[in-house]
Amino acid sequence: MENENKRNDIRQHIVFSGRVQGVGFRYRAYYIAQSLGLTGWVKNTWDDKVEMEVQGIKEAIQRMILLLHEQNYICIEEMHSNEIPLQQETGFHIR
């Protein structure tokens, strides 16, 4: 079978709003993703939000979001997410 998903990975597109720019959000997301073995990317948007696509096992993604909520200076007021198709990629990147 081609590209078997043995780990039951999912990919989520997430948009965060609140105090999420200028507080180290992207760098914290990067380090957390690396430590949890997640792939994807994170970037600031023009409207003071942060957009992220993250891929891995559901529990690791949930852990990442929990850890982001616990960071000093970051204040996530809203989060909109939806599941999207998996992508072939390596690593987690800041855009």
Side-chain angles (χ1 to χ4, degrees):
M1 287 191 166
E2 77 179 56
N3 196 11
E4 241 184 272
N5 184 13
K6 295 177 185 160
R7 294 186 340 165
N8 295 320
D9 286 359
I10 63 168
R11 185 175 189 89
Q12 287 191 319
H13 175 261
I14 308 170
V15 177
F16 299 92
S17 59
R19 193 172 65 233
V20 293
Q21 285 195 14
V23 291
F25 187 103
R26 292 175 299 152
Y27 296 99
R28 295 306 310 148
Y30 171 80
Y31 289 116
I32 292 168
Q34 295 282 27
S35 73
L36 295 173
L38 299 169
T39 61
W41 54 264
V42 63
K43 71 176 184 175
N44 286 340
T45 63
W46 61 271
D47 57 355
D48 296 326
K49 296 179 182 174
V50 172
E51 181 179 10
M52 179 168 70
E53 286 189 12
V54 61
Q55 181 169 306
I57 60 172
K58 185 176 185 175
E59 293 78 11
I61 294 172
Q62 290 171 336
R63 177 84 176 131
M64 178 187 198
I65 292 167
L66 177 68
L67 289 170
L68 285 169
H69 274 282
E70 294 175 349
Q71 298 300 306
N72 290 333
Y73 309 110
I74 294 171
C75 180
I76 299 168
E77 293 173 2
E78 274 189 60
M79 184 182 92
H80 299 281
S81 68
N82 60 305
E83 200 165 316
I84 58 175
L86 295 174
Q87 293 185 14
Q88 289 284 79
E89 64 190 347
T90 58
F92 191 90
H93 308 282
I94 297 172
R95 290 187 172 175

